[in-house]
Amino acid sequence: MDKAKINTVIFAIIGAVATYYINHTMGYGAIIANGLVGVTGAVLLSGPLSVAVFVASFVGMSGAAVIPSIAWAAVGGCVCGFILAFTSEIYAGIGGKGGTTAALSVQITRAIVNLFI
């Protein structure tokens, strides 16, 4: 794994955790949390990393019944980061890849949560 892929995973974790924290702990809700994290990522980071933060922020929008804690949000961000890092060439420029990646990440994380809880 090269440095770019590692950074993608790290920033995806940050995006998911930050969104989950703003959404659930601070109580601002999923839409505001996603907007704050997405805009902050777009302003502060380069293209691929801002995409990783934004896509992973969709994972952090999940309800507490699906992703029960901030630790599980980190797992979801990690799953999302790996999917983004290893599928960057697939469907490049095609709309819907971010949402599909986030939805897949949440379902994988949910399956993992159900194994342990």
Side-chain angles (χ1 to χ4, degrees), residues 19-109:
T19 305
Y20 192 90
Y21 180 80
I22 295 168
N23 182 11
H24 295 285
T25 305
M26 294 178 73
Y28 284 105
I31 304 299
I32 291 174
N34 174 265
L36 286 172
V37 172
V39 169
T40 302
V43 169
L44 298 178
L45 300 170
S46 66
L49 295 180
S50 66
V51 169
V53 168
F54 185 64
V55 171
S57 73
F58 293 139
V59 174
M61 292 175 72
S62 297
V66 177
I67 297 182
S69 71
I70 202 161
W72 287 111
V75 172
C78 185
V79 170
C80 184
F82 274 107
I83 293 172
L84 286 172
F86 290 103
T87 63
S88 61
E89 300 84 24
I90 299 172
Y91 298 119
I94 304 296
K97 181 179 177 185
T100 303
T101 300
L104 177 63
S105 301
V106 169
Q107 293 306 316
I108 291 170
T109 304

